[in-house]
C-alpha cells in the first residue's frame, strides 16, 4: 500500500512531454485477440461488445453504466509484447458526454468538453513494465456531472518485448533501486516457480519505485 501511495503521488506531478513520433515506435494492437477488456462496462455488455464499441472503426461508443464514471481494465495476453501507450477518443459522438478526466498509473489526464479529440498517453518504461499484463483506466463523471460519460474509442499500442528492451529496463530498475524489500516478497522457496514469481514481484515493485522517483 505504501508503494501504491507513492505511485499515486508521483502521478499527480508534472511529467516530461513525450516525443511527437512516440506511437510510431509501436503498432496498434487493439483488434488483436490477445487484447481484451474488463471493468464496469461488462455489467451490461459482453467483453466482445465492449471491444467492438471501443474500435475506432465502429460508430457505436462505450457508454458508462453510471453518471459517476467507470473503470476499464485492459488485458494483454501476449507475453511477447509490451503495451507502450494508449490513445483515447472522446467527444466524437456526444460532445457533452466527455469525462472531465481519466486516470491511469496514478496520473490524471484532464479533458476538454465539447470537442472531438484524441488523448495520447505514452507510458514511461516503469509504467510499461508494471502494466505489461494489465492496467486500468478510470473515467470520471462528465464536466457537468449530469450526463453519462461516453468513450468513443480506445487504441492500444505495443512493441515486441525485444524492441522495447524489457530485460534492459528491468535490469536498469534493479540497478537503480534497492531490491531487498522486493526480494523478501518472493519468500525463501528456491524452486523455479518461486524464482519466477519473485522476479515478477521485483519488477512490479521496482516499477512503482521508479515512477515515484521519476516525478521527484
Amino acid at each position: 500500500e505504501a508503494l501504491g501511495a507513492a505511485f499515486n503521488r508521483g502521478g499527480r506531478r508534472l511529467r516530461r512531454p513525450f516525443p511527437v513520433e512516440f506511437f510510431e515506435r509501436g503498432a496498434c494492437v487493439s483488434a488483436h485477440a490477445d487484447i481484451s477488456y474488463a471493468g464496469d462496462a461488462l455489467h451490461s455488455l459482453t467483453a466482445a461488445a465492449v471491444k467492438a464499441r471501443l474500435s475506432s472503426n465502429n460508430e457505436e461508443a462505450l457508454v458508462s453504466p453510471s453518471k459517476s464514471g467507470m473503470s476499464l481494465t485492459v488485458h494483454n495476453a501476449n507475453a511477447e509484447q509490451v503495451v507502450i501507450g494508449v490513445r483515447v477518443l472522446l467527444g466524437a459522438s456526444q460532445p457533452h458526454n466527455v469525462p472531465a478526466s481519466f486516470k491511469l498509473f496514478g496520473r490524471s489526464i484532464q479533458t476538454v468538453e465539447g470537442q472531438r479529440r484524441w488523448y495520447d498517453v505514452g507510458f514511461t518504461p516503469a509504467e510499461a513494465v508494471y502494466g505489461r499484463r494489465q492496467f486500468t483506466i478510470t473515467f470520471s463523471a462528465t464536466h457537468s456531472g449530469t450526463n453519462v460519460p461516453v468513450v468513443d474509442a480506445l487504441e492500444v499500442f505495443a512493441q515486441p518485448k525485444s524492441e522495447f528492451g524489457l530485460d534492459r529496463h528491468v535490469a536498469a530498475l534493479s540497478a537503480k533501486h534497492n531490491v531487498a524489500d522486493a526480494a523478501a516478497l518472493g519468500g525463501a522457496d528456491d524452486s523455479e516457480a518461486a524464482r519466477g514469481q519473485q522476479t515478477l514481484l521485483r519488477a512490479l515493485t521496482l516499477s512503482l519505485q521508479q515512477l515515484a522517483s521519476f516525478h521527484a
Side-chain angles (χ1 to χ4, degrees):
E1 290 185 3
L3 285 172
F7 193 80
N8 289 332
R9 286 197 302 273
R12 289 195 294 268
R13 300 181 187 174
L14 294 176
R15 57 200 303 109
R16 306 165 196 166
F18 284 86
V20 175
E21 73 282 0
F22 180 84
F23 285 93
E24 296 177 6
R25 302 174 185 177
C28 182
V29 297
S30 308
H32 293 189
D34 44 39
I35 297 295
S36 60
Y37 302 101
D40 297 335
L42 268 70
H43 293 170
S44 57
L45 296 170
T46 65
V50 169
K51 187 168 185 174
R53 293 193 180 197
L54 289 174
S55 170
S56 57
N57 297 319
N58 191 338
E59 293 186 359
E60 284 191 283
L62 182 63
V63 179
S64 170
S66 169
K67 286 185 178 181
S68 63
M70 66 177 171
S71 65
L72 182 68
T73 299
V74 181
H75 293 276
N76 170 33
N78 186 346
E80 297 303 312
Q81 71 182 14
V82 177
V83 177
I84 62 169
V86 296
R87 301 183 73 227
V88 182
L89 177 62
L90 301 174
S93 60
Q94 300 183 55
H96 296 290
N97 291 64
V98 174
S101 65
F102 60 93
K103 295 181 180 181
L104 70 168
F105 299 115
R107 52 171 158 145
S108 180
I109 292 82
Q110 303 301 309
T111 68
V112 179
E113 184 180 18
Q115 292 185 9
R116 180 191 186 279
R117 179 177 170 183
W118 282 98
Y119 294 85
D120 297 346
V121 185
F123 295 174
T124 65
E127 290 170 339
V129 171
Y130 180 70
R132 70 186 188 276
R133 298 297 186 189
Q134 69 175 50
F135 57 91
T136 299
I137 306 173
T138 303
F139 296 92
S140 74
T142 59
H143 289 264
S144 67
T146 58
N147 300 323
V148 176
V150 171
V151 178
D152 293 287
L154 175 67
E155 292 185 343
V156 179
F157 284 76
Q159 275 184 312
K161 67 177 185 180
S162 58
E163 291 184 15
F164 171 76
L166 180 61
D167 294 340
R168 173 172 57 84
H169 284 301
V170 171
L173 293 172
S174 298
K176 185 175 182 179
H177 299 285
N178 183 356
V179 301
D181 291 340
L185 292 174
D189 190 342
D190 290 331
S191 69
E192 183 175 352
R195 287 196 300 273
Q197 181 183 35
Q198 180 178 338
T199 300
L200 174 60
L201 288 170
R202 177 183 298 169
L204 298 181
T205 303
L206 289 173
S207 296
L208 291 170
Q209 292 174 331
Q210 194 269 354
L211 186 63
S213 65
F214 178 87
H215 299 281

